[in-house]
Amino acid sequence: MQQEALQEITAADTLEALQAVKTKYVGKKGLITQQLGGLGQLPPEERKARGAEINVVRQAIQAALDEKEGTLKRAALDAKLRSEAVDVTLPGLGLPSGGLHPITRVYDDLIGIYRQMGYAVVEGPEVEEEHYNFEALNVPWYHPARDLQDTFWLEDGRLLRTHTSPMQIRYMVDHEPPLKIVVRGKVYRYEATDATHESMFHQLEGLVVGEGISMADLKGTIAEMARGLYGPSAKVRFQPSYYPFVEPGADFAVYWDNPRGESKWLELGGCGMVHPNVFKAVDDLREQAGKDRIYEGMTGFAFGLGPERIAMLKYGIPDIRYFYANDPKVMGQFRGELG
Amino acid sequence: MNIPYSWLKELIPALPPVSELEPVFANMGLPLEGVEDAPSVPAGVILVEVLSAEPIPETKLTKITFDAGPEHGQHTIASGAPNAVGLAAGTMLALVTPGTELGGMTYGVREMHGVESWGMAASEKELGIGEQNAGVMLIRAGEAPAGTPLRDLWPEDTVLDVEVTPNRADVLSALGLARDLAAFLGLELREPPAGPAAAGAGEIAVSLPPKGLVLERDTTGTYRDGCDHFVARTVAGLQNGPSPLWMQRRLTLSGMRPRDLIVDASNYVMLELGQPTAMYDRAEVQGDQILVSFGLRQGEEVRDLLGGTHTVGQEDLLILDGRDRGISSVAAAFGSAGQPKEGQGVLGIAGIVGGEHGHVTAQTSSVVIEAAHFDPVLLRRTASRLGLKTDAVYRFERGVDPLLPPRAADRLVGLLAEAGGQPHPGATVVGDPSPSIPGPIETTGDQIRTLLGMHIDTAEMRGILTRLGCAVSGEGDALTVKPPSWRVDLHIWQDLAEEVARLHGYTELPESLPTLRVHSSNVGASQASERRDALRRTLSGLGFQETVTYTFTSNEEAGKARTEVPGVRLQNPMTADRTSLRTALYPSLLKAAGNYGKGERALLFEIGRIFPAGGETERLGLLMRGDLAARTYQDGVQGGFSVFKGLVQSFAAASGASFELRQLRGDEVPAALHPGIAGEVLWNGQPAGWLGALHPEIAADFGLKGDTFLAELSLPLPAGEWAFRDPSRAPAALRDLAVIAPADVSYGEIVGVLKGAGGELLEQVEPFDVYTGEQVGAGNRSVAVRLTYRGAKTLTEEDIDPVFNAQIDAVKAQGWAVRQKAEG
């Protein structure tokens, strides 16, 4: 019987056929089961030996059944998996991938550096009063420095801010020193557009006010920014310059180890020690608003730079007009880690 | 400002070569914008002396006979130059001798109309040394022996283009620049020659305007003196003509065009010393009197020497002569009696431009020299009103040395005397410039060191300031500093700190960091900025591309987009499509979407400012066009309102905000939107903007085919309250309910009613079927919803029934019907 059973097991090529064989031999009414059931009619001395014999047969059949079942199940699974195969080289659904504007990315880089140094980040109005844009920043209406910033005037006498510096005034009027801020935002100049000039662009402005703030602190701060932007070996150079709202004033340049081209000094922006007339103008405005005069006698520094210029240099963008054309073929390139 | 290197070298004999100067200028704060070689002329260009000039009959040509020097002898040329007509014997020309190559051409000997033309008489432009091309280059008689190569008198040079910031008026001259350079490098300065000092009274009577003028606009109430220093001298016996070559050369290399001796001398003194002067033909200056007037001749038309016409304003300074009246005193001049005739007697608009009346001509033989110091603010105001940008006012508005007029007048007299003029020994000098000169500044070495954060010995500071021309006194660390009259930019001790740092070297500044703990009023100041950053990150993560667009718009664009007519308008728009500031973001986004290809998906956002009548405010704009995923070999995901709303829902969910749309109808629908696909955004339950489909007519006007979906939200978005909730482990209980209501009742309204009556147990309402058709009656709609209830413990029928029944009652109270389904 064992021989027959094993042959039938081998012949079974489906799980259903194997189940039938199983039922035939080891099922409740199977042949083996019946034989085991017949043991009771044998004399006790025979019963033990016969029982052992049948059990050996039963175990052999059961082992063969289990093995065959495993084989058949594996084959069935293999067939199922084969039938489910997908050509994974076909493209997936073309779902959108978003991205930030390159100016935002440069702001994120810069502001990240200043956040680490404990600066607050603020914004302010783009339509500005003449007083905040010029007078309070030590640029009276008759000052030739106004020629440096060609202005879009509004019909109501206000103007489009020519720099983010008016936020120095607004912020100081509303807050008390010591303070450390950076200001981000759009600025406007009455200027014909070409590859390097735009009538609208962006600035990052910094202001630190406290007691005993020095120009060396300013230079160290710009150097920290330079290291954050251009790596640990970045160097900073200061040269005398003039901005009416600072004294002494400087232009700063960063030595850039360009991995893709000529290394050179990059003129990045202007800076200086806050002019006492600016503190006076702030205190005048505070007094008008019923607040204490607290800025005169303070020292501080301010700096400003343009993210467009940094982006153009950093990403190799040849024309400033790319920033506001919003060409998907250009914007789509600014994803992930960039160079 | 352009200046030839050779001029600086003459003033500073030890000046390093050009190749070493670039970093020097940069560290002085006067960076070089350009360094250009100014070539000379070929050796074959020589000076020749005109012997005669006569017309060639029946031509427009002139036959010039000239002496070309011992080597070449006498020759002729036929010249068509207008200024060759009637050339005086003795005048010299620049002649390109035969065989000389110039500008790619080799000149030879030709015959023209029977005249041997030996080489060519050239213009400055042809010689490559100037711009003048209207005639041949004229050189005054006796400049050099005939046959002298021009290059001996006009050697090659290098022109430095120095960038001068508005505060450094003192370096807008050869002397000023050399003075600063010498101080910076610690080299000896050789001042240019002084002219003959005046002795005695001058020939011209001068009256100045009253002191203490107050300008209408000046709210500070500052008193101004229109003119606080005026020197008039006279020179007779002049023969006007070409100025000396060396002077022409310096003018040319400095970017000015030589004209004639008198004008060139005046310009030369401005370039050399920084003092603009005016020259009047003395024969035209009526009554030998000059009045500097303020507020006179308002509304009159004045012609300037260049032919321009200007209308006199109420606060202009004019130079008037004594025409039609004898001006005996300022009081008389300002009296109403004896007003002269319209436009007459105006010699010039002070410090800006000379008048047609009294200007110097080729025939002028006697001149009045005006060297004066005018109020910078008055002049700037007039010049900007008249749109005049002259070299003179450029210097005056920045600040000319108030003590300079006598020296400049003397120098000018000297130059004219060298050219054969006969100066009157006297001078008229009026005014008191002392209030314009910066007073002494008190500081200490410590104060400066602390501001700079750099150690510089006080002794070194004294040395630096002295080198700059300051008078420095004070004991020990104390510094009392009287700046020189030409440094009108030095007012406060911080100005001195800059000078000390500049000459010590900005490169020496150490690097440190401020150590301070910010005042508590600054804590949290970044919050708004951080929220914007979070919005940007969330939206870009959801697949939106950030855009940055122009703030400008026009009425036409606003009309096309049907947005509020811009009220913030530019006084001076640059182009017709940028005349005002936008009142909504979506027109900018529509334009940006126009950059995407036909059928290409555009998913855009912008955070930007708009300027509606209510004032400047910040918005977030969102736009979607095209499929969410394009169909390829497989089905894509079509775009559409539901996808767009779904993305904005995800944005809200990722921002932790609740988000709902309230259906807008009729007049409530923003003009931008499709009247049937428009909703008000409720962000954390607060109205925050709108979302919908772009009106198809606007889409057509913007050239956008296919559906476009838009949302515009006001920033900052309304904040929500947040608190941690321990999630209930109890199972949910579900009930289904169909609400049959008129088709124009929105789902949102139905949910609102169900939620209103749902109490705390109602966790969620979800629609699973929306049906219109016969079974619910015409004009009606059935919305089937699944209601999810959950409590702290397992809910029983007894818990849910009252709530569910209350909801049904609330629905019925609206006049709507319900169809209750078997519970799920």
Side-chain angles (χ1 to χ4, degrees):
Chain A
M1 189 172 70
Q2 182 178 354
Q3 211 56 26
E4 283 167 30
L6 292 179
Q7 276 171 11
E8 284 176 42
I9 288 167
T10 308
D13 55 2
T14 66
L15 281 166
E16 290 74 30
L18 188 68
Q19 186 59 39
V21 178
K22 189 174 181 177
T23 309
K24 179 177 172 187
Y25 291 98
V26 294
K28 277 184 185 169
K29 292 175 183 171
L31 296 174
I32 300 289
T33 318
Q34 282 174 21
Q35 286 193 6
L36 285 171
L39 285 178
Q41 293 155 14
L42 293 179
E45 58 275 23
E46 258 183 74
R47 192 188 298 166
K48 192 176 178 188
R50 182 67 186 144
E53 273 173 41
I54 296 169
N55 254 332
V56 168
V57 172
R58 193 183 69 95
Q59 281 168 8
I61 291 171
Q62 188 63 47
L65 279 169
D66 289 350
E67 191 194 338
K68 182 72 182 190
E69 188 180 347
T71 306
L72 287 174
K73 278 189 173 165
R74 249 191 322 279
L77 180 62
D78 285 350
K80 180 168 182 282
L81 293 177
R82 262 197 307 282
S83 74
E84 286 170 356
V86 165
D87 179 354
V88 298
T89 65
L90 280 167
L93 269 185
L95 291 166
S97 68
L100 296 175
H101 193 275
I103 294 299
T104 297
R105 297 186 59 120
V106 171
Y107 267 133
D108 284 350
D109 290 350
L110 288 167
I111 287 172
I113 295 164
Y114 284 104
R115 281 217 172 105
Q116 282 180 14
M117 290 196 275
Y119 286 62
V121 187
V122 296
E123 294 187 21
E126 291 169 17
V127 165
E128 193 48 279
E129 308 285 339
E130 185 180 359
H131 185 77
Y132 285 86
N133 196 77
F134 288 125
E135 262 86 357
L137 289 163
N138 198 30
V139 190
W141 59 269
Y142 50 77
H143 201 289
R146 287 213 176 180
D147 294 347
L148 298 175
Q149 301 188 358
D150 288 328
T151 306
F152 277 112
W153 293 93
L154 302 176
E155 285 182 350
D156 61 12
R158 293 181 297 165
L159 49 80
L160 284 174
R161 65 176 175 190
T162 57
H163 46 186
T164 41
S165 309
M167 263 309 278
Q168 290 187 23
I169 308 297
R170 290 188 177 277
Y171 191 86
M172 284 192 276
V173 169
D174 288 342
H175 298 82
E176 292 185 30
L179 59 88
K180 292 200 274 192
I181 58 164
V182 284
V183 185
R184 65 188 278 176
K186 284 179 181 169
V187 301
Y188 301 85
R189 298 275 170 93
Y190 184 74
E191 210 165 74
T193 302
D194 63 25
T196 53
H197 296 88
E198 255 292 3
S199 49
M200 180 187 91
F201 53 98
H202 294 77
Q203 282 189 342
L204 184 77
E205 178 100 10
L207 175 71
V208 172
V209 178
E211 278 172 33
I213 302 294
S214 74
M215 199 162 176
D217 293 338
L218 169 59
K219 195 174 180 189
T221 299
I222 299 293
E224 281 303 288
M225 179 184 79
R227 294 204 301 183
L229 277 182
Y230 298 107
S233 63
K235 289 173 290 197
V236 165
R237 183 184 75 189
F238 268 32
Q239 287 176 341
S241 191
Y242 171 71
Y243 300 93
F245 37 96
V246 292
E247 188 70 34
D251 281 331
F252 59 89
V254 173
Y255 192 78
W256 182 38
D257 277 317
N258 182 356
R260 282 178 288 218
E262 188 197 351
S263 296
K264 57 187 171 187
W265 286 102
L266 306 177
E267 300 280 354
L268 287 190
C271 61
M273 305 305 294
V274 179
H275 197 287
N277 288 356
V278 172
F279 287 138
K280 181 181 179 301
V282 167
D283 274 347
D284 288 348
L285 286 164
R286 286 181 62 91
E287 193 172 312
Q288 285 167 30
K291 297 175 183 171
D292 294 338
R293 299 184 76 95
I294 49 178
Y295 280 92
E296 275 158 306
M298 288 280 161
T299 51
F301 63 71
F303 58 85
L305 65 157
E308 277 88 353
R309 182 166 159 71
I310 292 177
M312 289 171 83
L313 293 164
K314 186 170 180 180
Y315 303 139
I317 299 171
D319 192 318
I320 194 170
R321 287 167 291 198
Y322 278 134
F323 290 115
Y324 313 120
N326 293 301
D327 178 346
K329 291 182 182 63
V330 173
M331 292 297 132
Q333 296 180 37
F334 296 96
R335 299 282 196 272
E337 300 289 325
L338 302 175
Chain B
M1 184 183 73
N2 287 340
I3 186 158
Y5 170 79
S6 62
W7 200 346
L8 291 173
K9 179 82 176 168
E10 183 181 285
L11 298 172
I12 309 173
L15 189 66
V18 172
S19 57
E20 294 172 20
L21 287 183
E22 193 149 1
V24 172
F25 276 99
N27 289 324
M28 285 166 71
L30 300 166
L32 293 179
E33 287 188 314
V35 177
E36 276 197 45
D37 288 333
S40 183
V41 294
V45 179
I46 59 168
L47 269 60
V48 300
E49 182 180 341
V50 175
L51 302 173
S52 68
E54 53 208 60
I56 303 176
E58 291 163 28
T59 69
K60 288 180 178 171
L61 303 178
T62 305
K63 177 187 175 187
I64 304 172
T65 308
F66 56 84
D67 174 11
E71 191 188 326
H72 300 294
Q74 191 173 315
H75 289 282
T76 55
I77 53 163
S79 171
N83 63 351
V85 179
L87 269 181
T91 304
M92 304 196 86
L93 303 175
L95 192 101
V96 186
T97 55
T100 303
E101 196 191 317
L102 181 72
M105 284 174 67
T106 305
Y107 292 86
V109 184
R110 289 185 298 160
E111 191 176 304
M112 291 172 74
H113 300 277
V115 174
E116 182 207 49
S117 206
W118 194 79
M120 178 188 72
S123 70
E124 284 91 331
K125 178 128 185 166
E126 287 164 328
L127 293 168
I129 57 172
E131 292 304 309
Q132 196 279 124
N133 204 27
V136 296
M137 180 176 183
L138 297 179
I139 300 163
R140 67 182 180 140
E143 176 75 50
T148 306
L150 178 58
R151 66 194 296 168
D152 291 358
L153 302 167
W154 198 293
E156 63 182 4
D157 212 324
T158 305
V159 175
L160 309 177
D161 182 0
V162 184
E163 187 187 334
V164 180
T165 49
N167 59 323
R168 294 302 307 274
D170 64 296
V171 296
L172 291 173
S173 65
L175 171 63
L177 189 58
R179 200 152 43 192
D180 205 47
L181 200 50
F184 189 82
L185 294 171
L187 299 175
E188 185 208 345
L189 174 73
R190 277 194 203 160
E191 298 257 348
E203 298 183 289
I204 306 293
V206 175
S207 311
L208 299 185
K211 288 169 173 274
L213 306 173
V214 178
L215 296 189
E216 192 192 15
R217 164 152 190 191
D218 197 344
T219 51
T220 61
T222 308
Y223 292 108
R224 303 182 179 282
D225 295 344
C227 175
D228 60 13
H229 203 184
F230 196 110
V231 176
R233 294 195 68 174
T234 48
V235 180
L238 287 162
Q239 192 175 355
N240 205 3
S243 62
L245 264 189
W246 65 265
M247 187 183 283
Q248 290 196 40
R249 179 170 173 272
R250 282 190 171 168
L251 290 173
T252 303
L253 294 178
S254 303
M256 294 194 89
R257 194 158 143 185
R259 311 249 171 206
D260 58 49
L261 171 68
I262 299 171
V263 172
D264 288 359
S266 169
N267 284 334
Y268 181 79
V269 168
M270 178 177 74
L271 294 178
E272 182 183 76
L273 304 178
Q275 171 71 53
T277 57
M279 309 293 271
Y280 307 115
D281 188 329
R282 185 167 169 200
E284 297 291 319
V285 178
Q286 302 297 305
D288 277 347
Q289 294 185 65
I290 284 180
L291 164 72
V292 184
S293 77
F294 173 82
L296 291 187
R297 305 294 195 93
Q298 257 183 71
E300 281 187 25
E301 301 259 299
V302 173
R303 283 177 71 78
D304 69 29
L305 54 80
L306 304 169
T309 304
H310 312 285
T311 306
V312 178
Q314 59 176 3
E315 294 178 337
D316 292 340
L317 285 175
L318 298 179
I319 308 294
L320 305 177
D321 69 11
R323 177 173 295 219
D324 287 357
R325 59 177 167 187
I327 300 169
S328 54
S329 67
V330 171
F334 281 83
S336 58
Q339 282 287 341
K341 290 177 192 143
E342 181 93 348
Q344 288 186 332
V346 180
L347 292 168
I349 301 170
I352 302 172
V353 70
E356 183 183 49
H357 168 59
H359 83 276
V360 168
T361 67
Q363 284 70 46
T364 300
S365 63
S366 180
V367 294
V368 177
I369 296 169
E370 165 203 306
H373 182 253
F374 300 106
D375 181 78
V377 175
L378 271 171
L379 259 54
R380 178 174 165 79
R381 182 174 170 77
T382 297
S384 52
R385 184 175 55 78
L386 299 177
L388 288 166
K389 289 183 177 177
T390 62
D391 291 313
V393 74
Y394 181 81
R395 285 168 173 79
F396 276 127
E397 69 183 13
R398 279 161 177 73
V400 173
D401 180 351
L403 296 184
L404 197 51
R407 177 176 177 177
D410 294 351
R411 175 67 168 143
L412 198 35
V413 164
L415 288 169
L416 293 177
E418 279 173 29
Q422 291 148 22
H424 184 275
T428 309
V429 183
V430 293
D432 171 17
S434 54
S436 295
I437 302 167
I441 302 164
E442 303 284 348
T443 184
T444 65
D446 262 345
Q447 198 172 32
I448 291 174
R449 281 187 288 272
T450 304
L451 183 70
L452 298 178
M454 169 163 66
H455 185 83
I456 303 172
D457 289 337
T458 308
E460 188 190 337
M461 294 183 191
R462 288 179 194 277
I464 285 170
L465 294 168
T466 306
R467 247 153 64 209
L468 286 168
C470 299
V472 186
S473 56
E475 294 293 316
D477 199 43
L479 296 165
T480 302
V481 182
K482 175 96 175 71
S485 58
W486 58 83
R487 286 307 300 267
V488 291
D489 60 319
L490 302 183
H491 301 285
I492 55 176
W493 67 266
Q494 288 88 346
D495 294 329
L496 302 180
E498 175 171 277
E499 292 306 292
V500 165
R502 195 169 68 92
L503 266 68
H504 181 78
Y506 271 34
T507 46
E508 302 300 309
L509 271 172
E511 293 173 9
S512 54
L513 284 175
T515 49
L516 53 81
R517 183 175 192 225
V518 300
H519 183 269
S520 57
S521 64
N522 301 282
V523 175
S526 294
Q527 196 186 52
S529 175
E530 281 159 7
R531 285 190 179 157
R532 281 184 209 99
D533 288 349
L535 296 185
R536 286 191 181 96
R537 279 195 298 271
T538 303
L539 285 166
S540 69
L542 280 167
F544 286 83
Q545 169 64 46
E546 185 183 23
T547 63
V548 177
T549 61
Y550 292 103
T551 313
F552 303 107
T553 188
S554 64
N555 279 5
E556 190 199 346
E557 185 179 276
K560 212 165 77 167
R562 301 188 188 175
T563 181
E564 181 185 329
V565 177
V568 182
R569 303 181 52 79
L570 303 178
Q571 263 181 38
N572 52 343
M574 206 148 233
T575 53
D577 59 338
R578 297 182 182 180
T579 55
S580 47
L581 303 186
R582 63 186 177 190
T583 55
L585 274 190
Y586 69 87
S588 306
L589 288 172
L590 294 179
K591 282 195 288 183
N595 296 330
Y596 285 70
K598 195 182 157 200
E600 190 182 358
R601 175 190 54 230
L603 198 53
L604 305 175
F605 81 96
E606 176 168 16
I607 293 177
R609 288 171 177 266
I610 61 165
F611 305 83
E616 179 173 348
T617 179
E618 202 175 17
R619 288 276 175 90
L620 165 64
L622 300 152
L623 175 146
M624 185 180 82
R625 283 177 53 71
D627 290 337
L628 183 67
R631 194 197 140 71
T632 53
Y633 68 98
Q634 61 182 347
D635 288 340
V637 180
Q638 282 195 340
F641 176 79
S642 181
V643 170
F644 183 59
K645 184 181 173 186
L647 285 167
V648 180
Q649 273 172 207
S650 292
F651 164 54
S655 307
S658 77
F659 173 85
E660 281 173 70
L661 281 189
R662 182 175 72 80
Q663 187 86 33
L664 294 175
R665 294 193 182 86
D667 291 346
E668 288 185 320
V669 177
L673 296 185
H674 185 302
I677 313 175
E680 182 186 39
V681 173
L682 300 174
W683 188 277
N684 282 322
Q686 303 292 317
W690 49 257
L691 181 153
L694 177 66
H695 196 291
E697 286 176 348
I698 301 176
D701 284 346
F702 276 82
L704 298 170
K705 292 206 172 98
D707 294 339
T708 299
F709 301 95
L710 295 173
E712 193 153 327
L713 308 178
S714 293
L715 297 183
L717 289 164
E721 282 180 22
W722 185 88
F724 180 76
R725 277 170 302 161
D726 211 353
S728 167
R729 313 283 171 192
L734 306 177
R735 296 281 172 99
D736 288 353
L737 181 72
V739 176
I740 300 155
D744 64 357
V745 172
S746 70
Y747 172 76
E749 289 164 273
I750 295 170
V751 170
V753 169
L754 292 170
K755 282 190 173 170
E760 287 181 3
L761 293 184
L762 181 68
E763 185 178 76
Q764 187 176 282
V765 182
E766 264 186 310
F768 63 87
D769 189 40
V770 176
Y771 172 80
T772 50
E774 290 171 15
Q775 293 181 29
V776 293
N780 281 344
R781 183 172 71 154
S782 160
V783 176
V785 297
R786 170 154 297 174
L787 304 164
T788 306
Y789 304 92
R790 202 190 299 270
K793 61 177 181 59
T794 304
L795 297 176
T796 62
E797 301 288 309
E798 289 72 36
D799 296 324
I800 298 166
D801 283 342
V803 178
F804 187 57
N805 291 334
Q807 289 176 305
I808 289 170
D809 291 345
V811 167
K812 287 179 176 163
Q814 297 289 325
W816 308 332
V818 296
R819 186 175 298 161
Q820 193 175 338
K821 291 198 174 180
E823 55 199 67

